[in-house]
Amino acid sequence: HYLGRSHGVSHRLVASVNGSAFVVDVPYVYGSGSISVDKGTGVARSLTVQVKAERDDVLVDPFTVEWQAQYGITPQGLDTLWVPVGTFVLHRVEQVSRGVLQVQAKDRWLRVQSARFERATATSGDTVTAITSLLEGADSRITVDATDAPSGTHTSAIWERDRDKAIQNLAASIGARVRFNPEGVAVIDPVPSVDDPVFFTVARGRGGTKLASRAGADTAKTYNAVVVVGETPGGDTIFGEARDEDASSRTLYGGGAGKRPRFYVTSLVTTQAQADAAAASLLTESLRVNRTLTVDQLPHPGLDSGHVIDVEVDDSGTFERHIVAAFELPLFPAQMTVDMASRME
């Protein structure tokens, strides 16, 4: 609630060495840093910044050090409140000038990607328990919050090599996403919906945070047919198919929208009934056209992709509900640009 009032802002990078607390200041070049936030399961936050260090400095060692970016809010007459906006693993360091390094870092999903299976790994039973075990098995620094995770079970599944893809497939089978929050905790929660509770309201004028907006529409992820490919316990391939066959629909399969099939391949679908049900469910979501909105606003350090926000879209005071898809958060005083989407039936 301080964001709509007069307040000071500050930023800092702090390091954790060999699993210690995030307390060591990392000197960075003012105006050089930004955090990119994206949606879905996988890497949610990426950091690019220039720091004042040499290549052999312990603070840029990708194996022993993690960084946390923090955003400071200082209301008038009060102490600074530091809000974590990302916990990062360093993955690329490049010298740009004497004593200055360009660093690229990603959230802890990078550790999950790196921890590939050395041999085939099986999971079965409770799906959230399986996801949790795969996450915690990737690195001792990873903790999991499954408080709001959807429930579901699966029969025995065998996973080869890629731990991150196993987690993504298991999460998709129960309608969940898995990502690391700004504090570096792995969160298993439902795939966001525009019907979720509103996190924040972006309005114009006094006390508001909105500066400008640009509206549009996006059909890149609109499909009018779904094909689900699964496998029976005996090894036979099964197919579930669903198409938009409503003659009055603007997305009619083979009509004005043409043929736009979506494919979903998973070993977790083992019966024809499951394949048909999955195809029908995915088709409902796939028929939607996204209304897009790009908003320039004052930074909100607590914002995350998947959050639902109400946005004032015109001078008449009309508000629309949108899901945050992606945004850039600068590590210096500047506006942030937020990409959003909502359903346009």
Side-chain angles (χ1 to χ4, degrees):
H1 62 282
Y2 295 124
L3 298 180
R5 304 176 185 177
S6 178
H7 64 275
V9 298
S10 49
H11 310 77
R12 68 184 183 187
L13 279 176
V14 287
S16 164
V17 182
N18 289 320
S20 65
F22 289 95
V23 294
V24 182
D25 284 327
V26 179
Y28 71 96
V29 178
Y30 183 81
S32 71
S34 67
I35 296 171
S36 299
V37 182
D38 208 344
K39 62 180 179 179
T41 292
V43 173
R45 292 174 181 254
S46 301
L47 169 70
T48 300
V49 67
Q50 291 183 0
V51 298
K52 301 173 183 178
E54 301 293 345
R55 284 178 293 178
D56 58 354
D57 195 315
V58 67
L59 292 181
V60 292
D61 183 345
F63 298 112
T64 62
V65 171
E66 291 186 326
W67 290 356
Q68 188 172 91
Q70 299 178 352
Y71 187 102
I73 301 174
T74 309
Q76 288 185 339
L78 298 176
D79 294 334
T80 300
L81 172 66
W82 289 104
V83 181
V85 290
T87 299
F88 299 99
V89 179
L90 282 60
H91 77 98
R92 184 172 182 179
V93 179
E94 180 180 7
Q95 187 169 16
V96 294
S97 63
R98 185 173 182 178
V100 177
L101 303 175
Q102 177 89 5
V103 178
Q104 296 179 11
K106 297 181 179 180
D107 65 29
R108 284 177 171 168
W109 189 261
L110 187 62
R111 299 200 180 281
V112 178
Q113 288 178 318
S114 301
R116 303 174 76 190
F117 298 128
E118 298 174 29
R119 62 188 65 184
T121 299
T123 62
S124 62
D126 184 79
T127 301
V128 173
T129 299
I131 294 172
T132 300
S133 177
L134 293 179
L135 286 165
E136 293 178 339
D139 193 279
S140 61
R141 285 162 285 201
I142 293 177
T143 58
V144 180
D145 179 1
T147 304
D148 299 319
S151 60
T153 60
H154 65 287
T155 55
S156 181
I158 307 296
W159 309 104
E160 301 278 356
R161 294 188 180 179
D162 295 321
R163 182 184 300 265
D164 60 323
K165 292 180 180 178
I167 293 170
Q168 289 171 334
N169 283 325
L170 287 167
S173 73
I174 58 172
R177 65 173 185 169
V178 183
R179 60 211 310 278
F180 285 89
N181 68 13
E183 291 82 6
V185 176
V187 178
I188 309 171
D189 60 6
V191 173
S193 165
V194 74
D195 298 319
D196 291 342
V198 173
F199 170 76
F200 185 61
T201 297
V202 179
R204 303 169 182 262
R206 185 178 179 85
T209 61
K210 180 183 174 182
L211 302 176
S213 63
R214 299 168 292 283
D218 184 4
T219 63
K221 294 186 178 180
T222 301
Y223 304 93
N224 54 15
V226 174
V227 179
V228 173
V229 183
E231 185 177 308
T232 68
D236 296 327
T237 301
I238 51 177
F239 297 89
E241 298 182 73
R243 297 176 178 176
D244 183 3
E245 298 177 333
D246 181 356
S248 64
S249 172
R250 60 182 176 160
T251 54
L252 172 68
Y253 182 79
K259 299 179 180 180
R260 302 168 64 102
R262 172 185 179 183
F263 297 90
Y264 179 60
V265 181
T266 175
S267 62
L268 302 178
V269 168
T270 58
T271 69
Q272 188 62 54
Q274 288 178 332
D276 292 340
S281 175
L282 288 172
L283 180 64
T284 300
E285 183 68 25
S286 300
L287 291 175
R288 293 168 176 163
V289 177
N290 280 339
R291 187 198 312 270
T292 62
L293 186 69
T294 299
V295 173
D296 298 328
Q297 67 170 74
L298 300 180
H300 189 315
L303 196 65
D304 203 355
S305 64
H307 276 156
V308 175
I309 61 177
D310 273 339
V311 184
E312 187 176 9
V313 295
D314 57 36
D315 294 331
S316 66
T318 301
F319 283 81
E320 288 182 355
R321 180 175 290 196
H322 288 260
I323 295 177
V324 175
F327 59 89
E328 293 278 340
L329 180 64
L331 292 182
F332 52 92
Q335 70 182 32
M336 67 186 296
T337 299
V338 184
D339 294 327
M340 312 179 203
S342 68
R343 291 194 302 263
M344 184 167 65
E345 306 295 352

